[in-house]
Amino acid sequence: MGQSISSPPPATVMRSSPPSSCPMHDMPSTGCPIQHNNPPVAKSSGGCPIDHSSLNTLNPTNQMPNLPQTPIYPQSVALPTERTMSSIPRVVDAETRTDTRQTWEYPSPQQFYNALVRKGLDTPAEHVETVVEIHNFLNERAWGEVLKWERKVAQEGDEEPHLARFKGRPGEMSPKARFWMLAGWLLPSRFNTEPPFDRHDWIVRRPRDGTEVRYVIDYYSAPSTLNGDPGFALDVRPALDSFESIQQRVAVGMDSVWEELREKGWGKSERGGTQQAS
C-alpha cells in the first residue's frame, strides 16, 4: 500500500460541531465495560457480569463487535437506540436477487457511546448524539468523494459501486499523511502540521466484474469558518494497490497541476494569446 502526492487536495467539509475520531471500526477485544471498584452482583464468583463472548466476535465486513443497546456505566443520561440508514450501498440487487437496494446502517447513539467506553474514551453522554451526527455526515461526504473517483473509470451501463467492507485504522498513519507531516515540519508556514484525527480503509466493489478497490480516507480538522464553525477536510483516494489505481492517481494529479497553471495564466500573453517558446 502507498500513497503519492499526485492526488487532489482534500475536500473541505464544514460542520458546526467539533471533530471526533470514529470509535466504531477498530474495537479492542478485551476489557470489561463495567467499573469494578463497585461491581454489581456477578453471575459467578470472581467473574465479570458481562458476557463477552458476543462482544469479542468481530464482524469481518466492518471489524466491529456486536455492541449492545443497553446503558452502561458511567452513562448519566438516556440515549436513543434508533439506528439511521446511510445512503452508502452495501449489496447490489443482482446479488440479493430482489428489487430492494440495501445500504449500510449507522450505529445508534447508545451503541456509539458503548463503543467509546470500551475504548476507554471519556466522552460525556450528553454530547454523543452530536458526535454521531458528525460521524454520519463525514462518512456520507467520504462516499461522495469515492463516487467522484469511480465515475472516472465507470463504463456506460455500469451499476453504482458499493461498499463491500471497511476498517477503521485511527492509530495507523498512511504514507501520504506521513509525507504531509514531514512537509509541515520542514515548511510549517506552508503546510499543515496537524496529523489526521482518523483513518478508514474502504473496500469498494464494482458490480460490473466484481473488482474490489481499496480506498484510503484521512480525516483532518480544518480551520474554522468566518462565523466560528469548525471545519473538516477529507483526503479520499484509491490506494496504490493496482496499475489502474496508479494511472488514476497520476491522471488526476496532472489535471490538478494543469488547472493550477491555467488559473495563474501560464502560457498566455498579455493580449490573451498563447506564448511561444523562443
Side-chain angles (χ1 to χ4, degrees):
M1 180 198 75
Q3 284 73 39
S4 73
I5 61 172
S6 61
S7 299
T12 301
V13 182
M14 298 304 173
R15 184 70 169 177
S16 59
S17 303
S20 172
S21 62
C22 170
M24 294 296 295
H25 311 316
D26 194 12
M27 304 298 300
S29 58
T30 59
C32 177
I34 300 296
Q35 187 183 50
H36 288 273
N37 295 334
N38 187 21
V41 178
K43 292 181 179 179
S44 60
S45 177
C48 176
I50 300 298
D51 181 7
H52 291 274
S53 58
S54 61
L55 296 179
N56 292 340
T57 302
L58 298 182
N59 185 329
T61 63
N62 55 20
Q63 296 299 305
M64 297 190 328
N66 181 24
L67 291 170
Q69 291 273 27
T70 53
I72 60 175
Y73 182 89
Q75 184 174 339
S76 57
V77 298
L79 291 171
T81 57
E82 294 79 14
R83 303 181 65 177
T84 302
M85 299 302 297
S86 75
S87 67
I88 305 174
R90 107 175 262 165
V91 180
V92 295
D93 294 344
E95 294 180 349
T96 60
R97 301 186 182 279
T98 67
D99 295 329
T100 303
R101 179 179 180 271
Q102 299 187 19
T103 59
W104 286 91
E105 190 175 21
Y106 290 125
S108 69
Q110 182 64 65
Q111 289 177 310
F112 206 99
Y113 179 78
N114 292 351
L116 290 169
V117 172
R118 284 178 57 80
K119 290 197 71 174
L121 300 176
D122 184 16
T123 302
E126 58 270 20
H127 295 165
V128 169
E129 289 188 68
T130 299
V131 174
V132 170
E133 289 181 2
I134 301 171
H135 171 271
N136 299 352
F137 174 79
L138 291 179
N139 282 327
E140 293 292 325
R141 185 67 177 88
W143 181 247
E145 294 298 313
V146 167
L147 292 182
K148 290 181 182 179
W149 285 96
E150 287 296 302
R151 291 189 189 104
K152 298 179 184 297
V153 296
Q155 300 178 11
E156 186 176 356
D158 279 355
E159 297 180 44
E160 182 182 13
H162 62 274
L163 180 60
R165 57 190 181 277
F166 59 89
K167 183 178 182 181
R169 304 174 67 179
E172 302 177 50
M173 194 177 298
S174 67
K176 185 178 180 182
R178 291 181 184 277
F179 173 85
W180 290 122
M181 285 292 294
L182 176 61
W185 179 72
L186 295 174
L187 299 170
S189 62
R190 183 172 181 182
F191 298 102
N192 183 26
T193 57
E194 293 296 326
F197 63 80
D198 200 5
R199 170 190 171 182
H200 288 184
D201 280 14
W202 289 9
I203 307 300
V204 175
R205 184 176 299 156
R206 297 168 180 166
R208 176 181 4 117
D209 54 9
T211 298
E212 292 189 343
V213 181
R214 181 169 65 94
Y215 279 82
V216 180
I217 307 171
D218 288 324
Y219 297 78
Y220 291 89
S221 297
S224 300
T225 62
L226 295 178
N227 59 4
D229 294 336
F232 305 95
L234 308 183
D235 190 0
V236 183
R237 69 276 185 193
L240 301 182
D241 293 339
S242 67
F243 182 69
E244 181 184 50
S245 293
I246 295 174
Q247 283 184 312
Q248 201 175 355
R249 292 273 293 274
V250 171
V252 170
M254 292 304 298
D255 287 344
S256 299
V257 171
W258 286 118
E259 182 62 29
E260 183 178 353
L261 292 177
R262 283 194 293 268
E263 290 177 357
K264 292 181 179 179
W266 183 268
K268 294 183 179 180
S269 66
E270 294 180 357
R271 298 178 181 178
T274 301
Q275 293 180 347
Q276 302 292 329
S278 58

Short mmCIF file of all heavy atoms in Angstrom, two decimals, residues 162-209:
data_model
loop_
_atom_site.label_atom_id
_atom_site.label_comp_id
_atom_site.label_asym_id
_atom_site.label_seq_id
_atom_site.Cartn_x
_atom_site.Cartn_y
_atom_site.Cartn_z
N HIS A 162 -20.54 -0.40 -4.66
CA HIS A 162 -21.00 -0.41 -3.27
C HIS A 162 -19.84 -0.72 -2.34
O HIS A 162 -18.80 -1.23 -2.75
CB HIS A 162 -22.14 -1.42 -3.08
CG HIS A 162 -21.77 -2.84 -3.36
ND1 HIS A 162 -21.81 -3.39 -4.62
CD2 HIS A 162 -21.35 -3.83 -2.54
CE1 HIS A 162 -21.42 -4.66 -4.57
NE2 HIS A 162 -21.13 -4.94 -3.33
N LEU A 163 -20.04 -0.37 -1.10
CA LEU A 163 -19.03 -0.58 -0.07
C LEU A 163 -19.15 -2.00 0.45
O LEU A 163 -20.11 -2.35 1.13
CB LEU A 163 -19.23 0.43 1.06
CG LEU A 163 -18.25 0.36 2.23
CD1 LEU A 163 -16.82 0.58 1.77
CD2 LEU A 163 -18.62 1.40 3.29
N ALA A 164 -18.16 -2.82 0.12
CA ALA A 164 -18.20 -4.23 0.50
C ALA A 164 -17.85 -4.42 1.97
O ALA A 164 -18.50 -5.18 2.68
CB ALA A 164 -17.26 -5.04 -0.38
N ARG A 165 -16.82 -3.73 2.43
CA ARG A 165 -16.38 -3.84 3.83
C ARG A 165 -15.44 -2.67 4.11
O ARG A 165 -14.98 -1.99 3.20
CB ARG A 165 -15.70 -5.18 4.10
CG ARG A 165 -14.52 -5.48 3.21
CD ARG A 165 -14.04 -6.92 3.37
NE ARG A 165 -12.88 -7.20 2.53
CZ ARG A 165 -12.95 -7.51 1.25
NH1 ARG A 165 -14.13 -7.59 0.65
NH2 ARG A 165 -11.85 -7.76 0.57
N PHE A 166 -15.15 -2.48 5.38
CA PHE A 166 -14.29 -1.35 5.75
C PHE A 166 -13.64 -1.64 7.09
O PHE A 166 -14.03 -2.55 7.82
CB PHE A 166 -15.08 -0.05 5.81
CG PHE A 166 -16.23 -0.07 6.78
CD1 PHE A 166 -16.06 0.30 8.10
CD2 PHE A 166 -17.49 -0.47 6.38
CE1 PHE A 166 -17.11 0.29 9.00
CE2 PHE A 166 -18.56 -0.48 7.25
CZ PHE A 166 -18.36 -0.12 8.57
N LYS A 167 -12.65 -0.82 7.40
CA LYS A 167 -11.95 -0.95 8.69
C LYS A 167 -11.42 0.41 9.10
O LYS A 167 -10.84 1.13 8.28
CB LYS A 167 -10.80 -1.94 8.59
CG LYS A 167 -10.08 -2.17 9.93
CD LYS A 167 -8.97 -3.19 9.80
CE LYS A 167 -8.29 -3.43 11.15
NZ LYS A 167 -7.18 -4.42 11.05
N GLY A 168 -11.64 0.77 10.35
CA GLY A 168 -11.06 1.98 10.90
C GLY A 168 -9.63 1.71 11.36
O GLY A 168 -9.36 0.70 11.99
N ARG A 169 -8.72 2.62 11.02
CA ARG A 169 -7.31 2.46 11.40
C ARG A 169 -6.79 3.77 11.99
O ARG A 169 -5.82 4.35 11.48
CB ARG A 169 -6.49 2.04 10.19
CG ARG A 169 -7.01 0.78 9.51
CD ARG A 169 -6.28 0.46 8.21
NE ARG A 169 -4.90 0.09 8.45
CZ ARG A 169 -4.06 -0.26 7.46
NH1 ARG A 169 -4.47 -0.27 6.20
NH2 ARG A 169 -2.81 -0.57 7.73
N PRO A 170 -7.41 4.25 13.07
CA PRO A 170 -7.04 5.57 13.61
C PRO A 170 -5.62 5.65 14.13
O PRO A 170 -5.04 6.72 14.19
CB PRO A 170 -8.06 5.79 14.73
CG PRO A 170 -8.49 4.42 15.13
CD PRO A 170 -8.47 3.61 13.86
N GLY A 171 -5.03 4.53 14.52
CA GLY A 171 -3.68 4.54 15.06
C GLY A 171 -2.61 4.35 14.01
O GLY A 171 -1.42 4.33 14.35
N GLU A 172 -2.99 4.21 12.74
CA GLU A 172 -2.02 3.96 11.68
C GLU A 172 -2.07 5.11 10.67
O GLU A 172 -3.04 5.28 9.97
CB GLU A 172 -2.33 2.64 10.97
CG GLU A 172 -2.33 1.43 11.89
CD GLU A 172 -2.71 0.17 11.14
OE1 GLU A 172 -2.12 -0.08 10.07
OE2 GLU A 172 -3.61 -0.54 11.61
N MET A 173 -0.98 5.87 10.59
CA MET A 173 -0.93 6.98 9.66
C MET A 173 -0.55 6.47 8.27
O MET A 173 0.39 5.69 8.12
CB MET A 173 0.07 8.03 10.14
CG MET A 173 -0.05 9.37 9.41
SD MET A 173 1.10 10.61 10.05
CE MET A 173 0.51 10.76 11.74
N SER A 174 -1.26 6.91 7.26
CA SER A 174 -0.98 6.49 5.89
C SER A 174 0.33 7.12 5.42
O SER A 174 0.77 8.15 5.93
CB SER A 174 -2.12 6.91 4.96
OG SER A 174 -2.17 8.32 4.85
N PRO A 175 0.99 6.51 4.41
CA PRO A 175 2.23 7.11 3.89
C PRO A 175 2.04 8.54 3.40
O PRO A 175 2.91 9.38 3.58
CB PRO A 175 2.61 6.16 2.75
CG PRO A 175 2.05 4.84 3.16
CD PRO A 175 0.75 5.17 3.85
N LYS A 176 0.90 8.81 2.77
CA LYS A 176 0.67 10.17 2.29
C LYS A 176 0.55 11.15 3.45
O LYS A 176 1.07 12.27 3.39
CB LYS A 176 -0.59 10.22 1.43
CG LYS A 176 -0.83 11.59 0.80
CD LYS A 176 -2.06 11.60 -0.08
CE LYS A 176 -2.28 12.97 -0.69
NZ LYS A 176 -3.50 13.04 -1.53
N ALA A 177 -0.15 10.74 4.51
CA ALA A 177 -0.27 11.60 5.69
C ALA A 177 1.11 11.84 6.32
O ALA A 177 1.41 12.95 6.78
CB ALA A 177 -1.22 10.98 6.70
N ARG A 178 1.95 10.80 6.32
CA ARG A 178 3.31 10.96 6.84
C ARG A 178 4.10 11.97 6.00
O ARG A 178 4.88 12.77 6.53
CB ARG A 178 4.03 9.63 6.88
CG ARG A 178 3.47 8.65 7.91
CD ARG A 178 4.25 7.35 7.90
NE ARG A 178 3.68 6.39 8.80
CZ ARG A 178 3.93 6.34 10.11
NH1 ARG A 178 4.76 7.21 10.64
NH2 ARG A 178 3.36 5.43 10.87
N PHE A 179 3.90 11.91 4.68
CA PHE A 179 4.60 12.83 3.80
C PHE A 179 4.20 14.28 4.12
O PHE A 179 5.06 15.17 4.22
CB PHE A 179 4.28 12.52 2.34
CG PHE A 179 4.83 13.52 1.37
CD1 PHE A 179 6.13 13.42 0.90
CD2 PHE A 179 4.06 14.59 0.95
CE1 PHE A 179 6.65 14.36 0.02
CE2 PHE A 179 4.57 15.55 0.07
CZ PHE A 179 5.87 15.42 -0.39
N TRP A 180 2.89 14.53 4.27
CA TRP A 180 2.45 15.89 4.56
C TRP A 180 2.88 16.34 5.95
O TRP A 180 3.12 17.53 6.17
CB TRP A 180 0.94 15.99 4.41
CG TRP A 180 0.47 15.89 2.99
CD1 TRP A 180 -0.41 14.99 2.47
CD2 TRP A 180 0.86 16.73 1.89
NE1 TRP A 180 -0.58 15.20 1.13
CE2 TRP A 180 0.18 16.26 0.74
CE3 TRP A 180 1.72 17.82 1.77
CZ2 TRP A 180 0.35 16.85 -0.51
CZ3 TRP A 180 1.88 18.41 0.52
CH2 TRP A 180 1.20 17.93 -0.59
N MET A 181 3.00 15.41 6.88
CA MET A 181 3.51 15.77 8.20
C MET A 181 4.97 16.20 8.10
O MET A 181 5.40 17.17 8.74
CB MET A 181 3.37 14.59 9.16
CG MET A 181 1.95 14.34 9.64
SD MET A 181 1.36 15.66 10.72
CE MET A 181 2.45 15.42 12.12
N LEU A 182 5.76 15.48 7.26
CA LEU A 182 7.16 15.86 7.05
C LEU A 182 7.24 17.22 6.36
O LEU A 182 8.07 18.07 6.74
CB LEU A 182 7.85 14.80 6.20
CG LEU A 182 9.31 15.09 5.81
CD1 LEU A 182 10.18 15.21 7.05
CD2 LEU A 182 9.85 13.99 4.88
N ALA A 183 6.37 17.44 5.37
CA ALA A 183 6.36 18.73 4.70
C ALA A 183 6.00 19.86 5.67
O ALA A 183 6.58 20.95 5.61
CB ALA A 183 5.36 18.70 3.54
N GLY A 184 5.06 19.58 6.58
CA GLY A 184 4.70 20.58 7.57
C GLY A 184 5.82 20.86 8.55
O GLY A 184 5.98 21.99 9.02
N TRP A 185 6.61 19.83 8.85
CA TRP A 185 7.74 20.02 9.75
C TRP A 185 8.82 20.85 9.08
O TRP A 185 9.45 21.70 9.71
CB TRP A 185 8.29 18.65 10.15
CG TRP A 185 9.48 18.73 11.07
CD1 TRP A 185 9.48 19.08 12.39
CD2 TRP A 185 10.85 18.43 10.73
NE1 TRP A 185 10.76 19.03 12.89
CE2 TRP A 185 11.62 18.63 11.90
CE3 TRP A 185 11.48 18.02 9.56
CZ2 TRP A 185 12.99 18.44 11.91
CZ3 TRP A 185 12.86 17.82 9.57
CH2 TRP A 185 13.59 18.03 10.73
N LEU A 186 9.04 20.64 7.76
CA LEU A 186 10.07 21.38 7.04
C LEU A 186 9.60 22.79 6.70
O LEU A 186 10.38 23.75 6.78
CB LEU A 186 10.44 20.64 5.75
CG LEU A 186 11.11 19.27 5.93
CD1 LEU A 186 11.27 18.57 4.59
CD2 LEU A 186 12.47 19.43 6.62
N LEU A 187 8.32 22.93 6.31
CA LEU A 187 7.78 24.23 5.90
C LEU A 187 6.47 24.48 6.64
O LEU A 187 5.38 24.42 6.07
CB LEU A 187 7.55 24.26 4.39
CG LEU A 187 8.80 24.06 3.51
CD1 LEU A 187 8.39 23.86 2.06
CD2 LEU A 187 9.75 25.25 3.65
N PRO A 188 6.53 24.77 7.93
CA PRO A 188 5.30 24.92 8.73
C PRO A 188 4.43 26.09 8.29
O PRO A 188 3.23 26.08 8.56
CB PRO A 188 5.84 25.12 10.15
CG PRO A 188 7.23 25.62 9.98
CD PRO A 188 7.74 24.96 8.73
N SER A 189 5.00 27.07 7.63
CA SER A 189 4.20 28.22 7.20
C SER A 189 3.38 27.90 5.95
O SER A 189 2.44 28.63 5.63
CB SER A 189 5.11 29.42 6.90
OG SER A 189 6.02 29.12 5.85
N ARG A 190 3.69 26.81 5.28
CA ARG A 190 3.01 26.47 4.03
C ARG A 190 2.12 25.24 4.15
O ARG A 190 1.08 25.15 3.50
CB ARG A 190 4.03 26.27 2.92
CG ARG A 190 3.41 25.99 1.56
CD ARG A 190 4.42 25.99 0.47
NE ARG A 190 3.81 25.75 -0.83
CZ ARG A 190 4.48 25.66 -1.97
NH1 ARG A 190 5.81 25.81 -1.96
NH2 ARG A 190 3.85 25.44 -3.11
N PHE A 191 2.52 24.28 4.98
CA PHE A 191 1.79 23.02 5.07
C PHE A 191 1.26 22.81 6.48
O PHE A 191 1.81 23.32 7.45
CB PHE A 191 2.69 21.84 4.67
CG PHE A 191 3.18 21.89 3.26
CD1 PHE A 191 4.47 22.30 2.97
CD2 PHE A 191 2.35 21.52 2.21
CE1 PHE A 191 4.92 22.35 1.66
CE2 PHE A 191 2.79 21.56 0.91
CZ PHE A 191 4.08 21.98 0.62
N ASN A 192 0.20 22.02 6.56
CA ASN A 192 -0.42 21.70 7.83
C ASN A 192 0.50 20.82 8.67
O ASN A 192 1.15 19.91 8.15
CB ASN A 192 -1.75 20.98 7.57
CG ASN A 192 -2.49 20.67 8.86
OD1 ASN A 192 -2.31 21.36 9.86
ND2 ASN A 192 -3.31 19.64 8.84
N THR A 193 0.55 21.10 9.96
CA THR A 193 1.39 20.30 10.86
C THR A 193 0.57 19.36 11.73
O THR A 193 1.14 18.63 12.54
CB THR A 193 2.23 21.23 11.76
OG1 THR A 193 1.34 22.08 12.50
CG2 THR A 193 3.17 22.09 10.93
N GLU A 194 -0.75 19.37 11.57
CA GLU A 194 -1.61 18.51 12.37
C GLU A 194 -1.85 17.18 11.65
O GLU A 194 -2.18 17.17 10.47
CB GLU A 194 -2.95 19.18 12.65
CG GLU A 194 -2.85 20.41 13.54
CD GLU A 194 -2.37 20.08 14.94
OE1 GLU A 194 -2.72 18.98 15.43
OE2 GLU A 194 -1.66 20.89 15.54
N PRO A 195 -1.70 16.06 12.34
CA PRO A 195 -1.98 14.76 11.71
C PRO A 195 -3.48 14.55 11.56
O PRO A 195 -4.28 15.23 12.20
CB PRO A 195 -1.38 13.76 12.70
CG PRO A 195 -1.51 14.45 14.02
CD PRO A 195 -1.29 15.92 13.74
N PRO A 196 -3.89 13.62 10.70
CA PRO A 196 -5.33 13.31 10.61
C PRO A 196 -5.82 12.74 11.93
O PRO A 196 -5.09 12.04 12.63
CB PRO A 196 -5.40 12.27 9.48
CG PRO A 196 -4.01 11.71 9.38
CD PRO A 196 -3.09 12.81 9.78
N PHE A 197 -7.07 13.05 12.28
CA PHE A 197 -7.61 12.53 13.54
C PHE A 197 -8.25 11.16 13.38
O PHE A 197 -8.62 10.53 14.36
CB PHE A 197 -8.60 13.52 14.17
CG PHE A 197 -9.85 13.79 13.37
CD1 PHE A 197 -10.91 12.91 13.37
CD2 PHE A 197 -9.96 14.95 12.62
CE1 PHE A 197 -12.07 13.17 12.65
CE2 PHE A 197 -11.11 15.23 11.89
CZ PHE A 197 -12.17 14.33 11.90
N ASP A 198 -8.34 10.69 12.14
CA ASP A 198 -8.88 9.34 11.91
C ASP A 198 -8.48 8.88 10.53
O ASP A 198 -8.12 9.69 9.65
CB ASP A 198 -10.40 9.33 12.05
CG ASP A 198 -10.96 7.94 12.30
OD1 ASP A 198 -10.16 7.00 12.46
OD2 ASP A 198 -12.20 7.79 12.35
N ARG A 199 -8.54 7.58 10.34
CA ARG A 199 -8.28 6.98 9.03
C ARG A 199 -9.19 5.78 8.85
O ARG A 199 -9.39 5.00 9.77
CB ARG A 199 -6.82 6.54 8.91
CG ARG A 199 -6.55 5.69 7.65
CD ARG A 199 -5.17 5.07 7.66
NE ARG A 199 -5.03 4.10 6.58
CZ ARG A 199 -3.93 3.37 6.37
NH1 ARG A 199 -2.89 3.51 7.16
NH2 ARG A 199 -3.90 2.50 5.38
N HIS A 200 -9.74 5.65 7.65
CA HIS A 200 -10.52 4.47 7.27
C HIS A 200 -9.93 3.86 6.01
O HIS A 200 -9.40 4.57 5.16
CB HIS A 200 -11.97 4.84 6.98
CG HIS A 200 -12.78 5.17 8.19
ND1 HIS A 200 -14.12 5.43 8.13
CD2 HIS A 200 -12.45 5.28 9.50
CE1 HIS A 200 -14.59 5.69 9.35
NE2 HIS A 200 -13.58 5.62 10.19
N ASP A 201 -10.05 2.56 5.89
CA ASP A 201 -9.80 1.86 4.63
C ASP A 201 -11.12 1.25 4.18
O ASP A 201 -11.71 0.44 4.92
CB ASP A 201 -8.74 0.76 4.80
CG ASP A 201 -7.32 1.31 4.79
OD1 ASP A 201 -7.16 2.55 4.91
OD2 ASP A 201 -6.37 0.52 4.69
N TRP A 202 -11.59 1.64 3.01
CA TRP A 202 -12.86 1.14 2.48
C TRP A 202 -12.59 0.26 1.26
O TRP A 202 -11.83 0.65 0.37
CB TRP A 202 -13.76 2.30 2.06
CG TRP A 202 -14.34 3.08 3.20
CD1 TRP A 202 -14.01 2.96 4.53
CD2 TRP A 202 -15.34 4.09 3.12
NE1 TRP A 202 -14.75 3.84 5.27
CE2 TRP A 202 -15.58 4.55 4.45
CE3 TRP A 202 -16.05 4.65 2.08
CZ2 TRP A 202 -16.51 5.55 4.74
CZ3 TRP A 202 -16.97 5.65 2.36
CH2 TRP A 202 -17.20 6.08 3.68
N ILE A 203 -13.23 -0.89 1.21
CA ILE A 203 -13.14 -1.78 0.06
C ILE A 203 -14.41 -1.60 -0.76
O ILE A 203 -15.50 -1.95 -0.31
CB ILE A 203 -12.98 -3.26 0.48
CG1 ILE A 203 -11.80 -3.41 1.45
CG2 ILE A 203 -12.79 -4.13 -0.75
CD1 ILE A 203 -10.47 -2.97 0.90
N VAL A 204 -14.24 -1.06 -1.96
CA VAL A 204 -15.37 -0.76 -2.85
C VAL A 204 -15.42 -1.81 -3.96
O VAL A 204 -14.40 -2.10 -4.59
CB VAL A 204 -15.23 0.65 -3.45
CG1 VAL A 204 -16.33 0.91 -4.48
CG2 VAL A 204 -15.26 1.70 -2.35
N ARG A 205 -16.59 -2.39 -4.16
CA ARG A 205 -16.76 -3.43 -5.18
C ARG A 205 -17.54 -2.87 -6.37
O ARG A 205 -18.56 -2.21 -6.21
CB ARG A 205 -17.49 -4.64 -4.60
CG ARG A 205 -17.64 -5.81 -5.58
CD ARG A 205 -18.29 -6.99 -4.90
NE ARG A 205 -17.49 -7.45 -3.78
CZ ARG A 205 -17.99 -8.13 -2.75
NH1 ARG A 205 -19.29 -8.39 -2.68
NH2 ARG A 205 -17.21 -8.53 -1.77
N ARG A 206 -17.02 -3.17 -7.57
CA ARG A 206 -17.67 -2.75 -8.80
C ARG A 206 -18.52 -3.90 -9.33
O ARG A 206 -17.99 -4.97 -9.68
CB ARG A 206 -16.63 -2.33 -9.83
CG ARG A 206 -15.81 -1.12 -9.40
CD ARG A 206 -14.61 -0.87 -10.27
NE ARG A 206 -13.85 0.29 -9.81
CZ ARG A 206 -12.61 0.58 -10.22
NH1 ARG A 206 -12.01 -0.21 -11.10
NH2 ARG A 206 -12.00 1.66 -9.76
N PRO A 207 -19.84 -3.70 -9.42
CA PRO A 207 -20.73 -4.80 -9.83
C PRO A 207 -20.45 -5.35 -11.21
O PRO A 207 -20.76 -6.51 -11.49
CB PRO A 207 -22.12 -4.16 -9.76
CG PRO A 207 -21.98 -3.02 -8.82
CD PRO A 207 -20.60 -2.51 -9.03
N ARG A 208 -19.85 -4.55 -12.09
CA ARG A 208 -19.63 -5.00 -13.47
C ARG A 208 -18.84 -6.30 -13.52
O ARG A 208 -19.20 -7.23 -14.23
CB ARG A 208 -18.88 -3.92 -14.25
CG ARG A 208 -18.52 -4.35 -15.65
CD ARG A 208 -17.75 -3.30 -16.45
NE ARG A 208 -17.41 -2.10 -15.75
CZ ARG A 208 -16.14 -1.72 -15.52
NH1 ARG A 208 -15.14 -2.49 -15.90
NH2 ARG A 208 -15.90 -0.57 -14.92
N ASP A 209 -17.77 -6.39 -12.78
CA ASP A 209 -16.93 -7.59 -12.83
C ASP A 209 -16.49 -8.07 -11.45
O ASP A 209 -15.69 -9.00 -11.34
CB ASP A 209 -15.70 -7.35 -13.70
CG ASP A 209 -14.91 -6.11 -13.26
OD1 ASP A 209 -15.22 -5.55 -12.18
OD2 ASP A 209 -13.98 -5.71 -13.99
#
